[in-house]
Amino acid sequence: LITPLPRFHALTRNIRLRRGSKVDIRAPLLRDAKTDAAELARGIEMDAMAYGMGCCCLQVTFQARDIDESRHLYDHLAVLAPVMLALTAATPVLHGRLADTDVRWATVAASVDDRTPFERGEPPDESAPRRSAEELAPLAGGGVAPLPKSRYESISVYLANCGGCMKRYNDLDAPVDGPSLERLLEGGVDEDLARHV
């Protein structure tokens, strides 16, 4: 038990419920003269959200003047964040083992990955309870549409309204849930922001 805050208990429960299993965090093990091939192939295995969210970090909140300034700031931070991550690389040990990585980002992303096996492009875990179509129906894409990355991964689209840059730089195929997109558009959200949400 890490914290008595209900938010963290609810987040862990919701991830397991949506995913249908505990999280599966894998990190490469540092190769050295005393590490055998089987251990290297297995790597470092972690199965709880705390391995990612338990890592310390600095979280900063920005207040922008309006939505346009917020979108502009979002785009700039998307470019600067990987540089800042590299400059502050300081996670050589995970689960008591030396990792062959120096940042915690992949561990954090995997610790909150709530995608179903279908969304991850994996066969369902046979040991996990089967979920009916009715249980999967409320999920985006019915819980079966492929989602290429966890919610804590890098961004897929830029948001600033800067002339033609939206079409020029937004060249990734970012999946969108059709009914959710339509609902946002009907509510007055512009298409670029609606596709992001």
Side-chain angles (χ1 to χ4, degrees), residues 64-110:
R65 181 176 45 233
D66 55 27
I67 188 72
D68 290 330
E69 188 176 68
S70 297
R71 291 166 80 151
H72 189 79
L73 184 60
Y74 174 90
D75 288 355
H76 280 76
L77 288 172
V79 176
L80 291 173
V83 175
M84 291 186 269
L85 181 65
L87 291 173
T88 61
T91 311
V93 178
L94 294 167
H95 197 41
R97 311 283 313 264
L98 287 177
D100 195 15
T101 181
D102 55 359
V103 296
R104 66 187 183 93
W105 193 256
T107 305
V108 171

Side-chain angles (χ1 to χ4, degrees), residues 138 176-191 193-195 197:
V176 175
D177 181 57
S180 299
L181 177 64
E182 288 303 316
R183 185 174 180 189
L184 289 166
L185 292 173
E186 288 169 8
V189 177
D190 68 84
E191 185 172 357
L193 187 56
R195 294 183 75 77
V197 174

Side-chain angles (χ1 to χ4, degrees), residues 20-101:
S21 66
K22 294 196 293 188
V23 294
D24 182 22
I25 308 166
R26 308 280 174 134
L29 186 61
L30 182 69
R31 177 187 306 265
D32 65 16
K34 302 220 183 233
T35 308
D36 65 49
E39 277 190 286
L40 281 174
R42 191 173 59 248
I44 302 169
E45 300 171 325
M46 298 165 278
D47 66 353
M49 188 184 121
Y51 287 112
M53 290 308 186
C55 294
C56 65
C57 69
L58 172 65
Q59 183 173 336
V60 180
T61 302
F62 292 88
Q63 181 174 345
R65 181 176 45 233
D66 55 27
I67 188 72
D68 290 330
E69 188 176 68
S70 297
R71 291 166 80 151
H72 189 79
L73 184 60
Y74 174 90
D75 288 355
H76 280 76
L77 288 172
V79 176
L80 291 173
V83 175
M84 291 186 269
L85 181 65
L87 291 173
T88 61
T91 311
V93 178
L94 294 167
H95 197 41
R97 311 283 313 264
L98 287 177
D100 195 15
T101 181

Side-chain angles (χ1 to χ4, degrees), residues 100-171:
D100 195 15
T101 181
D102 55 359
V103 296
R104 66 187 183 93
W105 193 256
T107 305
V108 171
S111 76
V112 292
D113 188 355
D114 65 350
R115 295 175 296 163
T116 66
F118 298 110
E119 292 170 332
R120 293 190 308 269
E122 300 171 358
D125 180 2
E126 294 304 322
S127 65
R130 283 272 187 207
R131 298 171 74 186
S132 68
E134 292 80 32
E135 290 175 304
L136 292 172
L139 304 180
V144 296
L147 297 175
K149 59 187 181 178
S150 165
R151 68 178 66 220
Y152 270 68
E153 292 287 346
S154 61
I155 69 165
S156 298
V157 295
Y158 290 100
L159 300 177
N161 299 321
C162 58
C165 69
M166 295 295 287
K167 302 291 183 245
R168 189 165 135 205
Y169 295 122
N170 287 338
D171 56 358

